[in-house]
Amino acid sequence: MEVTINNQNYQLNEACSIEQMLAAVMSTETNGLAIAVNQTIISKSVWNTHVLNPGDQIILIKATQGG
C-alpha cells in the first residue's frame, strides 16, 4: 500500500498501525514527535491501534530545542 509521509511516497507491505509504519521508515526514536494523518493530529496513545489506509497523507513533526 502507498502512503505519503512528509511529501514523499512510501510503499508499505500491508495495512499497518502508525507505530509499525514508524518502525519501517524511521531509524530514530519517537520522543518529541507529533503525527498528523490526513490533517488530523493522532495522539501518541493510539499510535499502536490507529490503522493507516492506502493514500493517507502523513505529516511527521519533530520538536526541536532552541530560541
Side-chain angles (χ1 to χ4, degrees):
M1 112 175 145
E2 185 174 288
V3 297
T4 303
I5 304 171
N6 290 356
N7 296 319
Q8 289 189 312
N9 293 334
Y10 285 86
Q11 287 290 334
L12 302 175
N13 291 336
E14 57 189 37
C16 63
S17 69
I18 291 174
E19 206 167 68
Q20 292 167 321
M21 176 272 301
L22 288 172
V25 301
M26 288 187 66
S27 58
T28 60
E29 59 182 75
T30 60
N31 289 339
L33 189 67
I35 296 181
V37 177
N38 300 323
Q39 300 181 343
T40 301
I41 298 290
I42 307 298
S43 173
K44 190 171 187 171
S45 64
V46 297
W47 285 3
N48 62 335
T49 58
H50 184 96
V51 177
L52 298 171
N53 296 301
D56 277 350
Q57 301 284 318
I58 302 158
I59 299 174
L60 306 180
I61 304 159
K62 181 78 172 162
T64 58
Q65 274 187 300

Tab-separated table of all heavy atoms in Angstrom:
chain	number	residue	atom	x	y	z
A	1	MET	N	0.854	-1.169	0.000
A	1	MET	CA	0.000	0.000	0.000
A	1	MET	C	0.897	1.227	0.000
A	1	MET	O	1.993	1.195	0.554
A	1	MET	CB	-0.930	-0.086	1.208
A	1	MET	CG	-0.731	0.917	2.289
A	1	MET	SD	-1.952	0.818	3.592
A	1	MET	CE	-0.892	1.241	4.940
A	2	GLU	N	0.444	2.289	-0.629
A	2	GLU	CA	1.237	3.512	-0.721
A	2	GLU	C	0.644	4.594	0.165
A	2	GLU	O	-0.567	4.819	0.160
A	2	GLU	CB	1.290	3.996	-2.162
A	2	GLU	CG	2.201	5.199	-2.345
A	2	GLU	CD	2.369	5.577	-3.799
A	2	GLU	OE1	3.051	4.826	-4.531
A	2	GLU	OE2	1.811	6.610	-4.196
A	3	VAL	N	1.525	5.250	0.937
A	3	VAL	CA	1.150	6.409	1.743
A	3	VAL	C	2.155	7.518	1.449
A	3	VAL	O	3.234	7.259	0.916
A	3	VAL	CB	1.132	6.091	3.260
A	3	VAL	CG1	0.086	5.038	3.587
A	3	VAL	CG2	2.492	5.662	3.768
A	4	THR	N	1.788	8.732	1.793
A	4	THR	CA	2.692	9.865	1.625
A	4	THR	C	3.101	10.362	3.001
A	4	THR	O	2.250	10.668	3.834
A	4	THR	CB	2.007	10.999	0.836
A	4	THR	OG1	1.567	10.473	-0.425
A	4	THR	CG2	2.959	12.154	0.595
A	5	ILE	N	4.417	10.414	3.218
A	5	ILE	CA	4.953	10.876	4.500
A	5	ILE	C	5.826	12.086	4.215
A	5	ILE	O	6.828	11.976	3.497
A	5	ILE	CB	5.771	9.773	5.201
A	5	ILE	CG1	4.913	8.523	5.389
A	5	ILE	CG2	6.319	10.281	6.529
A	5	ILE	CD1	5.676	7.305	5.868
A	6	ASN	N	5.431	13.235	4.766
A	6	ASN	CA	6.156	14.485	4.542
A	6	ASN	C	6.471	14.684	3.050
A	6	ASN	O	7.598	14.948	2.657
A	6	ASN	CB	7.427	14.545	5.386
A	6	ASN	CG	7.132	14.712	6.855
A	6	ASN	OD1	5.984	14.853	7.263
A	6	ASN	ND2	8.158	14.678	7.680
A	7	ASN	N	5.448	14.536	2.233
A	7	ASN	CA	5.507	14.768	0.786
A	7	ASN	C	6.377	13.780	0.018
A	7	ASN	O	6.763	14.054	-1.117
A	7	ASN	CB	5.946	16.207	0.478
A	7	ASN	CG	4.940	17.211	0.977
A	7	ASN	OD1	3.733	17.006	0.844
A	7	ASN	ND2	5.420	18.292	1.564
A	8	GLN	N	6.685	12.622	0.617
A	8	GLN	CA	7.401	11.564	-0.085
A	8	GLN	C	6.550	10.305	-0.054
A	8	GLN	O	5.997	9.958	0.992
A	8	GLN	CB	8.757	11.271	0.563
A	8	GLN	CG	9.782	12.357	0.353
A	8	GLN	CD	11.153	11.904	0.821
A	8	GLN	OE1	11.295	11.374	1.910
A	8	GLN	NE2	12.154	12.111	-0.016
A	9	ASN	N	6.461	9.627	-1.190
A	9	ASN	CA	5.674	8.408	-1.273
A	9	ASN	C	6.460	7.226	-0.708
A	9	ASN	O	7.654	7.088	-0.973
A	9	ASN	CB	5.274	8.113	-2.713
A	9	ASN	CG	4.304	9.152	-3.237
A	9	ASN	OD1	3.576	9.773	-2.475
A	9	ASN	ND2	4.300	9.350	-4.531
A	10	TYR	N	5.780	6.404	0.066
A	10	TYR	CA	6.371	5.200	0.640
A	10	TYR	C	5.468	4.020	0.339
A	10	TYR	O	4.245	4.134	0.406
A	10	TYR	CB	6.511	5.324	2.166
A	10	TYR	CG	7.641	6.224	2.600
A	10	TYR	CD1	7.452	7.588	2.715
A	10	TYR	CD2	8.889	5.702	2.916
A	10	TYR	CE1	8.485	8.421	3.119
A	10	TYR	CE2	9.926	6.531	3.315
A	10	TYR	CZ	9.718	7.885	3.418
A	10	TYR	OH	10.734	8.700	3.817
A	11	GLN	N	6.083	2.883	0.050
A	11	GLN	CA	5.346	1.638	-0.132
A	11	GLN	C	5.462	0.832	1.157
A	11	GLN	O	6.565	0.550	1.616
A	11	GLN	CB	5.949	0.821	-1.291
A	11	GLN	CG	5.663	1.378	-2.651
A	11	GLN	CD	4.203	1.233	-3.057
A	11	GLN	OE1	3.486	0.354	-2.599
A	11	GLN	NE2	3.753	2.130	-3.912
A	12	LEU	N	4.329	0.491	1.740
A	12	LEU	CA	4.296	-0.374	2.910
A	12	LEU	C	3.745	-1.724	2.475
A	12	LEU	O	2.895	-1.799	1.582
A	12	LEU	CB	3.429	0.244	4.006
A	12	LEU	CG	3.854	1.642	4.479
A	12	LEU	CD1	2.837	2.199	5.470
A	12	LEU	CD2	5.240	1.599	5.107
A	13	ASN	N	4.220	-2.795	3.089
A	13	ASN	CA	3.832	-4.145	2.671
A	13	ASN	C	2.353	-4.417	2.834
A	13	ASN	O	1.757	-5.122	2.044
A	13	ASN	CB	4.640	-5.191	3.438
A	13	ASN	CG	6.100	-5.178	3.027
A	13	ASN	OD1	6.437	-4.746	1.938
A	13	ASN	ND2	6.966	-5.624	3.911
A	14	GLU	N	1.756	-3.876	3.869
A	14	GLU	CA	0.345	-4.159	4.153
A	14	GLU	C	-0.202	-3.071	5.065
A	14	GLU	O	0.539	-2.200	5.505
A	14	GLU	CB	0.224	-5.519	4.838
A	14	GLU	CG	1.037	-5.607	6.114
A	14	GLU	CD	1.102	-7.019	6.687
A	14	GLU	OE1	1.178	-7.977	5.907
A	14	GLU	OE2	1.069	-7.133	7.916
A	15	ALA	N	-1.489	-3.147	5.325
A	15	ALA	CA	-2.094	-2.205	6.272
A	15	ALA	C	-1.351	-2.338	7.600
A	15	ALA	O	-1.048	-3.448	8.043
A	15	ALA	CB	-3.568	-2.502	6.449
A	16	CYS	N	-1.029	-1.220	8.202
A	16	CYS	CA	-0.275	-1.262	9.452
A	16	CYS	C	-0.673	-0.088	10.328
A	16	CYS	O	-1.300	0.869	9.888
A	16	CYS	CB	1.223	-1.257	9.175
A	16	CYS	SG	1.838	0.231	8.366
A	17	SER	N	-0.264	-0.173	11.581
A	17	SER	CA	-0.517	0.915	12.517
A	17	SER	C	0.545	1.999	12.324
A	17	SER	O	1.556	1.787	11.647
A	17	SER	CB	-0.462	0.391	13.959
A	17	SER	OG	0.867	0.035	14.294
A	18	ILE	N	0.312	3.144	12.937
A	18	ILE	CA	1.305	4.223	12.884
A	18	ILE	C	2.614	3.740	13.486
A	18	ILE	O	3.688	3.991	12.949
A	18	ILE	CB	0.781	5.479	13.622
A	18	ILE	CG1	-0.369	6.101	12.837
A	18	ILE	CG2	1.906	6.490	13.842
A	18	ILE	CD1	-1.054	7.251	13.534
A	19	GLU	N	2.538	3.017	14.593
A	19	GLU	CA	3.730	2.504	15.258
A	19	GLU	C	4.535	1.591	14.322
A	19	GLU	O	5.753	1.683	14.236
A	19	GLU	CB	3.308	1.752	16.518
A	19	GLU	CG	4.349	1.700	17.594
A	19	GLU	CD	3.742	1.233	18.903
A	19	GLU	OE1	3.340	0.060	18.993
A	19	GLU	OE2	3.675	2.050	19.834
A	20	GLN	N	3.851	0.710	13.595
A	20	GLN	CA	4.523	-0.185	12.657
A	20	GLN	C	5.129	0.595	11.494
A	20	GLN	O	6.233	0.286	11.034
A	20	GLN	CB	3.540	-1.234	12.133
A	20	GLN	CG	3.101	-2.221	13.196
A	20	GLN	CD	1.908	-3.051	12.759
A	20	GLN	OE1	0.990	-2.548	12.118
A	20	GLN	NE2	1.930	-4.337	13.098
A	21	MET	N	4.422	1.611	11.015
A	21	MET	CA	4.938	2.442	9.937
A	21	MET	C	6.210	3.156	10.374
A	21	MET	O	7.191	3.208	9.643
A	21	MET	CB	3.872	3.461	9.499
A	21	MET	CG	4.318	4.458	8.450
A	21	MET	SD	5.101	5.977	9.063
A	21	MET	CE	3.853	6.695	10.095
A	22	LEU	N	6.217	3.692	11.589
A	22	LEU	CA	7.401	4.385	12.089
A	22	LEU	C	8.596	3.447	12.161
A	22	LEU	O	9.711	3.822	11.805
A	22	LEU	CB	7.123	4.997	13.464
A	22	LEU	CG	6.204	6.209	13.475
A	22	LEU	CD1	5.865	6.595	14.902
A	22	LEU	CD2	6.835	7.378	12.742
A	23	ALA	N	8.376	2.224	12.620
A	23	ALA	CA	9.467	1.241	12.697
A	23	ALA	C	10.023	0.933	11.315
A	23	ALA	O	11.219	0.697	11.154
A	23	ALA	CB	8.974	-0.029	13.377
A	24	ALA	N	9.172	0.965	10.297
A	24	ALA	CA	9.593	0.636	8.935
A	24	ALA	C	10.330	1.786	8.247
A	24	ALA	O	11.228	1.545	7.443
A	24	ALA	CB	8.383	0.228	8.101
A	25	VAL	N	9.968	3.042	8.559
A	25	VAL	CA	10.525	4.158	7.787
A	25	VAL	C	11.460	5.070	8.582
A	25	VAL	O	12.150	5.887	7.985
A	25	VAL	CB	9.416	5.030	7.141
A	25	VAL	CG1	8.545	4.203	6.225
A	25	VAL	CG2	8.588	5.751	8.176
A	26	MET	N	11.511	4.937	9.897
A	26	MET	CA	12.358	5.818	10.704
A	26	MET	C	13.377	5.008	11.485
A	26	MET	O	13.069	3.943	11.989
A	26	MET	CB	11.522	6.636	11.700
A	26	MET	CG	10.705	7.723	11.073
A	26	MET	SD	9.922	8.770	12.304
A	26	MET	CE	11.337	9.546	13.066
A	27	SER	N	14.574	5.551	11.613
A	27	SER	CA	15.597	4.878	12.396
A	27	SER	C	15.900	5.639	13.683
A	27	SER	O	16.777	5.264	14.432
A	27	SER	CB	16.881	4.720	11.568
A	27	SER	OG	17.332	5.990	11.150
A	28	THR	N	15.171	6.712	13.931
A	28	THR	CA	15.392	7.499	15.133
A	28	THR	C	14.264	7.251	16.130
A	28	THR	O	13.215	6.720	15.784
A	28	THR	CB	15.457	9.008	14.814
A	28	THR	OG1	14.216	9.405	14.233
A	28	THR	CG2	16.589	9.312	13.851
A	29	GLU	N	14.491	7.663	17.371
A	29	GLU	CA	13.454	7.478	18.383
A	29	GLU	C	12.306	8.459	18.163
A	29	GLU	O	12.447	9.440	17.444
A	29	GLU	CB	14.036	7.609	19.783
A	29	GLU	CG	14.702	8.939	20.083
A	29	GLU	CD	15.305	8.965	21.478
A	29	GLU	OE1	16.356	8.350	21.671
A	29	GLU	OE2	14.693	9.608	22.345
A	30	THR	N	11.176	8.176	18.794
A	30	THR	CA	9.970	8.957	18.529
A	30	THR	C	9.665	9.989	19.607
A	30	THR	O	8.605	10.587	19.584
A	30	THR	CB	8.758	8.019	18.369
A	30	THR	OG1	8.587	7.261	19.570
A	30	THR	CG2	8.949	7.078	17.188
A	31	ASN	N	10.589	10.209	20.535
A	31	ASN	CA	10.367	11.251	21.542
A	31	ASN	C	10.310	12.614	20.862
A	31	ASN	O	11.115	12.916	19.988
A	31	ASN	CB	11.482	11.250	22.592
A	31	ASN	CG	11.413	10.040	23.494
A	31	ASN	OD1	10.375	9.410	23.622
A	31	ASN	ND2	12.530	9.697	24.114
A	32	GLY	N	9.330	13.416	21.255
A	32	GLY	CA	9.192	14.746	20.672
A	32	GLY	C	8.607	14.739	19.270
A	32	GLY	O	8.737	15.712	18.544
A	33	LEU	N	7.952	13.657	18.899
A	33	LEU	CA	7.384	13.535	17.561
A	33	LEU	C	5.870	13.676	17.621
A	33	LEU	O	5.219	13.102	18.488
A	33	LEU	CB	7.751	12.164	16.975
A	33	LEU	CG	7.417	11.932	15.513
A	33	LEU	CD1	8.273	12.831	14.618
A	33	LEU	CD2	7.661	10.473	15.158
A	34	ALA	N	5.327	14.455	16.717
A	34	ALA	CA	3.874	14.561	16.562
A	34	ALA	C	3.529	14.064	15.169
A	34	ALA	O	4.312	14.219	14.227
A	34	ALA	CB	3.415	16.006	16.731
A	35	ILE	N	2.357	13.444	15.051
A	35	ILE	CA	1.940	12.877	13.771
A	35	ILE	C	0.529	13.332	13.434
A	35	ILE	O	-0.364	13.277	14.279
A	35	ILE	CB	1.995	11.342	13.802
A	35	ILE	CG1	3.446	10.902	14.004
A	35	ILE	CG2	1.417	10.741	12.528
A	35	ILE	CD1	3.645	9.420	14.034
A	36	ALA	N	0.374	13.766	12.186
A	36	ALA	CA	-0.953	14.091	11.659
A	36	ALA	C	-1.225	13.159	10.481
A	36	ALA	O	-0.358	12.935	9.640
A	36	ALA	CB	-1.020	15.539	11.204
A	37	VAL	N	-2.416	12.594	10.445
A	37	VAL	CA	-2.852	11.752	9.335
A	37	VAL	C	-4.049	12.445	8.706
A	37	VAL	O	-5.053	12.698	9.374
A	37	VAL	CB	-3.221	10.336	9.811
A	37	VAL	CG1	-3.741	9.506	8.645
A	37	VAL	CG2	-2.030	9.652	10.470
A	38	ASN	N	-3.917	12.775	7.428
A	38	ASN	CA	-4.967	13.495	6.706
A	38	ASN	C	-5.402	14.753	7.465
A	38	ASN	O	-6.578	15.019	7.651
A	38	ASN	CB	-6.145	12.568	6.415
A	38	ASN	CG	-5.732	11.385	5.574
A	38	ASN	OD1	-4.907	11.509	4.689
A	38	ASN	ND2	-6.283	10.231	5.869
A	39	GLN	N	-4.401	15.493	7.935
A	39	GLN	CA	-4.571	16.780	8.620
A	39	GLN	C	-5.250	16.677	9.986
A	39	GLN	O	-5.782	17.659	10.489
A	39	GLN	CB	-5.294	17.781	7.724
A	39	GLN	CG	-4.540	18.052	6.441
A	39	GLN	CD	-5.236	19.068	5.570
A	39	GLN	OE1	-6.417	19.368	5.731
A	39	GLN	NE2	-4.504	19.623	4.622
A	40	THR	N	-5.209	15.498	10.607
A	40	THR	CA	-5.743	15.311	11.947
A	40	THR	C	-4.631	14.779	12.837
A	40	THR	O	-4.035	13.740	12.533
A	40	THR	CB	-6.911	14.297	11.943
A	40	THR	OG1	-7.935	14.791	11.085
A	40	THR	CG2	-7.468	14.092	13.334
A	41	ILE	N	-4.342	15.495	13.933
A	41	ILE	CA	-3.318	15.048	14.874
A	41	ILE	C	-3.776	13.748	15.528
A	41	ILE	O	-4.911	13.648	15.985
A	41	ILE	CB	-3.056	16.119	15.963
A	41	ILE	CG1	-2.529	17.409	15.331
A	41	ILE	CG2	-2.108	15.587	17.029
A	41	ILE	CD1	-1.131	17.332	14.782
A	42	ILE	N	-2.867	12.774	15.580
A	42	ILE	CA	-3.169	11.486	16.195
A	42	ILE	C	-2.394	11.396	17.506
A	42	ILE	O	-1.168	11.522	17.521
A	42	ILE	CB	-2.780	10.312	15.270
A	42	ILE	CG1	-3.415	10.469	13.889
A	42	ILE	CG2	-3.140	8.977	15.918
A	42	ILE	CD1	-4.929	10.464	13.868
A	43	SER	N	-3.090	11.171	18.602
A	43	SER	CA	-2.471	11.073	19.909
A	43	SER	C	-1.519	9.886	19.970
A	43	SER	O	-1.822	8.797	19.470
A	43	SER	CB	-3.557	10.916	20.979
A	43	SER	OG	-2.979	10.667	22.229
A	44	LYS	N	-0.366	10.082	20.603
A	44	LYS	CA	0.627	9.015	20.708
A	44	LYS	C	0.053	7.780	21.404
A	44	LYS	O	0.472	6.658	21.124
A	44	LYS	CB	1.862	9.527	21.453
A	44	LYS	CG	3.032	8.580	21.413
A	44	LYS	CD	4.283	9.216	21.970
A	44	LYS	CE	5.472	8.296	21.761
A	44	LYS	NZ	6.734	8.939	22.080
A	45	SER	N	-0.935	7.966	22.250
A	45	SER	CA	-1.520	6.839	22.989
A	45	SER	C	-2.256	5.860	22.080
A	45	SER	O	-2.524	4.727	22.485
A	45	SER	CB	-2.460	7.348	24.084
A	45	SER	OG	-3.565	8.023	23.513
A	46	VAL	N	-2.583	6.257	20.845
A	46	VAL	CA	-3.291	5.354	19.930
A	46	VAL	C	-2.478	5.001	18.686
A	46	VAL	O	-3.001	4.410	17.745
A	46	VAL	CB	-4.683	5.911	19.524
A	46	VAL	CG1	-5.588	6.041	20.713
A	46	VAL	CG2	-4.552	7.222	18.777
A	47	TRP	N	-1.187	5.345	18.674
A	47	TRP	CA	-0.344	5.019	17.523
A	47	TRP	C	-0.323	3.519	17.244
A	47	TRP	O	-0.215	3.109	16.102
A	47	TRP	CB	1.086	5.503	17.736
A	47	TRP	CG	1.271	6.981	17.591
A	47	TRP	CD1	0.320	7.929	17.361
A	47	TRP	CD2	2.498	7.687	17.685
A	47	TRP	NE1	0.887	9.182	17.310
A	47	TRP	CE2	2.225	9.063	17.512
A	47	TRP	CE3	3.815	7.305	17.922
A	47	TRP	CZ2	3.221	10.033	17.539
A	47	TRP	CZ3	4.805	8.265	17.961
A	47	TRP	CH2	4.501	9.623	17.763
A	48	ASN	N	-0.420	2.696	18.291
A	48	ASN	CA	-0.349	1.248	18.093
A	48	ASN	C	-1.656	0.667	17.556
A	48	ASN	O	-1.674	-0.458	17.066
A	48	ASN	CB	0.074	0.535	19.368
A	48	ASN	CG	-0.913	0.735	20.499
A	48	ASN	OD1	-1.645	1.716	20.529
A	48	ASN	ND2	-0.923	-0.187	21.439
A	49	THR	N	-2.760	1.410	17.610
A	49	THR	CA	-4.046	0.886	17.146
A	49	THR	C	-4.614	1.642	15.942
A	49	THR	O	-5.530	1.146	15.303
A	49	THR	CB	-5.101	0.910	18.272
A	49	THR	OG1	-5.252	2.254	18.741
A	49	THR	CG2	-4.693	-0.002	19.416
A	50	HIS	N	-4.086	2.831	15.639
A	50	HIS	CA	-4.587	3.613	14.507
A	50	HIS	C	-4.040	2.999	13.213
A	50	HIS	O	-2.847	3.075	12.923
A	50	HIS	CB	-4.165	5.078	14.616
A	50	HIS	CG	-4.750	5.927	13.532
A	50	HIS	ND1	-5.891	6.655	13.713
A	50	HIS	CD2	-4.360	6.139	12.244
A	50	HIS	CE1	-6.183	7.292	12.585
A	50	HIS	NE2	-5.260	6.988	11.686
A	51	VAL	N	-4.916	2.395	12.418
A	51	VAL	CA	-4.507	1.717	11.188
A	51	VAL	C	-4.498	2.710	10.028
A	51	VAL	O	-5.458	3.456	9.822
A	51	VAL	CB	-5.445	0.529	10.888
A	51	VAL	CG1	-5.074	-0.132	9.562
A	51	VAL	CG2	-5.403	-0.482	12.023
A	52	LEU	N	-3.405	2.690	9.285
A	52	LEU	CA	-3.278	3.550	8.114
A	52	LEU	C	-3.981	2.919	6.924
A	52	LEU	O	-4.100	1.695	6.831
A	52	LEU	CB	-1.801	3.763	7.793
A	52	LEU	CG	-0.998	4.470	8.885
A	52	LEU	CD1	0.484	4.435	8.556
A	52	LEU	CD2	-1.482	5.893	9.076
A	53	ASN	N	-4.436	3.758	6.008
A	53	ASN	CA	-5.128	3.313	4.801
A	53	ASN	C	-4.339	3.747	3.569
A	53	ASN	O	-3.610	4.743	3.612
A	53	ASN	CB	-6.537	3.924	4.739
A	53	ASN	CG	-7.400	3.440	5.869
A	53	ASN	OD1	-7.630	2.258	6.029
A	53	ASN	ND2	-7.885	4.372	6.680
A	54	PRO	N	-4.482	3.031	2.461
A	54	PRO	CA	-3.806	3.444	1.224
A	54	PRO	C	-4.157	4.891	0.877
A	54	PRO	O	-5.308	5.304	0.991
A	54	PRO	CB	-4.354	2.476	0.171
A	54	PRO	CG	-4.791	1.279	0.945
A	54	PRO	CD	-5.279	1.813	2.268
A	55	GLY	N	-3.136	5.651	0.508
A	55	GLY	CA	-3.356	7.039	0.114
A	55	GLY	C	-3.336	8.037	1.252
A	55	GLY	O	-3.468	9.239	1.019
A	56	ASP	N	-3.171	7.578	2.498
A	56	ASP	CA	-3.126	8.509	3.632
A	56	ASP	C	-1.977	9.494	3.467
A	56	ASP	O	-0.896	9.154	2.981
A	56	ASP	CB	-2.959	7.757	4.960
A	56	ASP	CG	-4.271	7.236	5.522
A	56	ASP	OD1	-5.347	7.602	4.997
A	56	ASP	OD2	-4.225	6.468	6.499
A	57	GLN	N	-2.228	10.722	3.879
A	57	GLN	CA	-1.225	11.787	3.893
A	57	GLN	C	-0.761	11.942	5.339
A	57	GLN	O	-1.546	12.331	6.210
A	57	GLN	CB	-1.835	13.105	3.408
A	57	GLN	CG	-2.409	13.048	2.007
A	57	GLN	CD	-1.317	13.063	0.957
A	57	GLN	OE1	-0.350	13.797	1.067
A	57	GLN	NE2	-1.483	12.244	-0.061
A	58	ILE	N	0.510	11.643	5.596
A	58	ILE	CA	1.046	11.640	6.958
A	58	ILE	C	2.085	12.743	7.071
A	58	ILE	O	2.942	12.888	6.194
A	58	ILE	CB	1.682	10.274	7.277
A	58	ILE	CG1	0.625	9.176	7.105
A	58	ILE	CG2	2.280	10.254	8.670
A	58	ILE	CD1	1.180	7.807	6.873
A	59	ILE	N	1.997	13.507	8.155
A	59	ILE	CA	2.989	14.541	8.424
A	59	ILE	C	3.645	14.215	9.755
A	59	ILE	O	2.967	14.034	10.769
A	59	ILE	CB	2.354	15.943	8.472
A	59	ILE	CG1	1.717	16.265	7.131
A	59	ILE	CG2	3.402	16.993	8.847
A	59	ILE	CD1	0.928	17.562	7.122
A	60	LEU	N	4.982	14.124	9.737
A	60	LEU	CA	5.766	13.905	10.961
A	60	LEU	C	6.384	15.238	11.349
A	60	LEU	O	7.045	15.882	10.545
A	60	LEU	CB	6.884	12.877	10.706
A	60	LEU	CG	6.466	11.530	10.132
A	60	LEU	CD1	7.687	10.642	9.945
A	60	LEU	CD2	5.445	10.848	11.015
A	61	ILE	N	6.162	15.636	12.582
A	61	ILE	CA	6.666	16.918	13.084
A	61	ILE	C	7.565	16.625	14.275
A	61	ILE	O	7.105	16.049	15.264
A	61	ILE	CB	5.522	17.844	13.495
A	61	ILE	CG1	4.569	18.043	12.320
A	61	ILE	CG2	6.066	19.185	14.005
A	61	ILE	CD1	3.197	18.511	12.727
A	62	LYS	N	8.835	16.983	14.173
A	62	LYS	CA	9.806	16.746	15.235
A	62	LYS	C	10.033	18.036	15.999
A	62	LYS	O	10.375	19.065	15.426
A	62	LYS	CB	11.111	16.231	14.631
A	62	LYS	CG	12.196	15.930	15.620
A	62	LYS	CD	11.945	14.610	16.302
A	62	LYS	CE	13.163	14.246	17.135
A	62	LYS	NZ	12.883	13.239	18.128
A	63	ALA	N	9.821	17.966	17.322
A	63	ALA	CA	10.079	19.130	18.177
A	63	ALA	C	11.588	19.332	18.298
A	63	ALA	O	12.348	18.368	18.371
A	63	ALA	CB	9.470	18.909	19.560
A	64	THR	N	12.003	20.602	18.295
A	64	THR	CA	13.413	20.918	18.452
A	64	THR	C	13.581	21.963	19.537
A	64	THR	O	12.676	22.747	19.810
A	64	THR	CB	14.031	21.448	17.144
A	64	THR	OG1	13.293	22.603	16.739
A	64	THR	CG2	13.997	20.417	16.052
A	65	GLN	N	14.743	21.967	20.150
A	65	GLN	CA	15.041	22.979	21.154
A	65	GLN	C	15.719	24.157	20.477
A	65	GLN	O	16.364	24.004	19.455
A	65	GLN	CB	15.990	22.415	22.215
A	65	GLN	CG	15.290	21.690	23.324
A	65	GLN	CD	16.264	21.318	24.409
A	65	GLN	OE1	17.209	20.586	24.161
A	65	GLN	NE2	16.040	21.814	25.600
A	66	GLY	N	15.572	25.285	21.062
A	66	GLY	CA	16.217	26.466	20.505
A	66	GLY	C	15.476	27.716	20.927
A	66	GLY	O	14.486	27.658	21.620
A	67	GLY	N	15.970	28.804	20.467
A	67	GLY	CA	15.323	30.022	20.887
A	67	GLY	C	15.266	31.045	19.804
A	67	GLY	O	15.392	30.904	18.662
